[in-house]
Amino acid sequence: MDSSPLKELDTRLLEALQLDGRAPFSHLARRLDVSERTIARRYQNLRTLGLRIVGQPVPARLGLVRWLLRLRCTPDAAGTIADALARRPDTSWVTLASGGTELSCAVNTRTTEERNALLLQKLPRTPHVLSVSAHCMMRIFVGATSTWHATRFHAPASAVDSGTPDAPLTLDATDRTLFTELARDGRATLPELARASGRSASSVQRHLERLRTEGALGFSVDFDPQLLGYHMTTQLWLQVTPAHLRTVGETLATHPAIAFAAAITGTSNLVASGVFRTPADLYDYIDQHIGPLPGIQSIETAPTLREVKRLAPALP
């Protein structure tokens, strides 16, 4: 990786953490065939460069509806509005694109009242917002909790919307405390989580296993892709014929460059976020991987200028 200051082992460690953000150093050491001390040292080095492992709720399993908002603002106000959206506890990521006049924002809502308060009252009354389009995420093919994973590995099953109509998982006070603590540090130890929740380590372990087995808790690897040589993060808005929507979405989910893909409401019925090294790589991806797919009617690209927020906090 010519443009990256990281060692090959750092990259392999990031890949392994994407498979299981809470994997013990001993397991990571065996997987990467190095000593546990080496893993600990490389992990701490990555932490100094900004690495975070964050536990996040999987919205669909907890009765939350996820929306993708697309705002067009005046250039002088876009940054301020983006910062305000990033401070909201119900937003999971906020980006600036298209010359700094377009914002994209993912929002989790629990009730109709929460949704309407934002979409029908707050945003329309915000000065310098020129237009707002809201797209309900009907099916997330990849990246329900992940921020990016531009490698050959993909997110675990708990971070993908299976599309099954399971009833929302009921949470107790311990579950909610665990979500809060894991949002701060996804690798918090069992004793640390036990102290925070006032429960025993064995009880905490049972709660964690339940949340992960039920697909309600995922772990995101938050690390600046530019440090790995990826300088071109881009949203792809696609119009796909209904007969091919599932096929295209599931195909995008297998592409290493795609960190997120979802079927949405609106004129563009599929949105994806891709991480590329250069504009030429983006062109090659569109030409060689998007173009040949059946049912693609149009594609719009919106390169990200600034990631204002990449991860959601604990449950709202």
Side-chain angles (χ1 to χ4, degrees):
M1 303 179 65
D2 296 338
S3 59
S4 171
L6 302 184
K7 296 181 178 180
E8 180 184 355
L9 179 58
D10 294 323
T11 306
R12 293 169 58 206
L13 176 56
L14 285 170
E15 292 172 348
L17 287 169
Q18 288 166 22
L19 294 178
D20 183 1
R22 284 185 62 83
F25 286 162
S26 58
H27 292 182
L28 295 169
R30 286 195 296 270
R31 179 181 182 87
L32 301 180
D33 195 25
V34 295
S35 70
E36 188 173 341
R37 179 177 295 182
T38 297
I39 289 296
R41 186 172 64 252
R42 299 318 307 167
Y43 176 78
Q44 291 304 321
N45 178 67
L46 290 171
R47 292 261 295 181
T48 65
L49 295 174
L51 170 66
R52 291 192 302 156
I53 308 297
V54 180
Q56 292 188 281
V58 178
R61 279 302 281 123
L62 300 176
L64 301 173
V65 177
R66 200 167 195 193
W67 292 80
L68 178 59
L69 308 184
R70 199 175 188 187
L71 290 71
R72 297 189 184 278
C73 313
T74 58
D76 59 319
T80 301
I81 295 171
D83 291 337
L85 286 170
R87 289 192 294 269
R88 292 179 60 97
D90 54 357
T91 59
S92 54
W93 47 262
V94 182
T95 62
L96 274 170
S98 299
T101 60
E102 179 179 312
L103 306 180
S104 291
C105 173
V107 179
N108 296 324
T109 62
R110 189 178 301 278
T111 66
T112 302
E113 289 73 19
E114 288 180 359
R115 179 197 67 194
N116 291 347
L118 178 63
L119 299 183
L120 301 181
Q121 300 175 31
K122 182 67 175 178
L123 288 176
R125 297 174 183 173
T126 302
H128 307 291
V129 172
L130 303 178
S131 66
V132 179
S133 60
H135 310 268
C136 182
M137 298 188 194
M138 302 180 290
R139 173 75 181 273
I140 298 176
F141 296 104
V142 68
T145 60
S146 298
T147 54
W148 64 269
H149 49 282
T151 71
R152 63 181 178 278
F153 295 111
H154 285 275
S158 62
V160 181
D161 178 7
S162 66
T164 56
D166 294 336
L169 189 66
T170 301
L171 304 181
D172 61 19
T174 301
D175 294 325
R176 292 185 176 275
T177 298
L178 293 179
F179 273 115
T180 299
E181 295 302 314
L182 293 171
R184 298 190 183 103
D185 180 6
R187 292 185 63 87
T189 65
L190 286 179
E192 290 170 338
L193 295 174
R195 285 193 296 271
S197 62
R199 304 296 295 270
S200 66
S202 60
S203 175
V204 166
Q205 182 64 43
R206 288 194 297 271
H207 277 76
L208 285 176
E209 290 176 354
R210 171 177 173 266
L211 292 173
R212 299 188 76 173
T213 301
E214 294 287 347
L217 172 64
F219 289 89
S220 294
V221 177
D222 182 25
F223 192 71
D224 186 354
Q226 295 194 52
L227 295 177
L228 292 168
Y230 295 88
H231 300 283
M232 193 76 185
T233 301
T234 304
Q235 281 196 347
L236 308 171
W237 298 79
L238 289 80
Q239 291 185 19
V240 184
T241 56
H244 295 96
L245 182 59
R246 176 189 292 271
T247 299
V248 173
E250 291 178 347
T251 300
L252 291 185
T254 68
H255 293 169
I258 298 299
F260 168 81
I264 59 173
T265 58
T267 304
S268 296
N269 55 0
L270 184 64
V271 65
S273 179
V275 186
F276 308 93
R277 292 183 182 277
T278 65
D281 289 339
L282 171 60
Y283 172 84
D284 290 340
Y285 177 76
I286 294 173
D287 178 52
Q288 299 172 21
H289 296 279
I290 297 289
L293 293 177
I296 303 293
Q297 296 179 310
S298 68
I299 179 172
E300 177 188 355
T301 56
T304 297
L305 301 183
R306 180 163 70 95
E307 291 182 311
V308 182
K309 183 179 185 178
R310 284 203 295 260
L311 293 175
L315 288 170

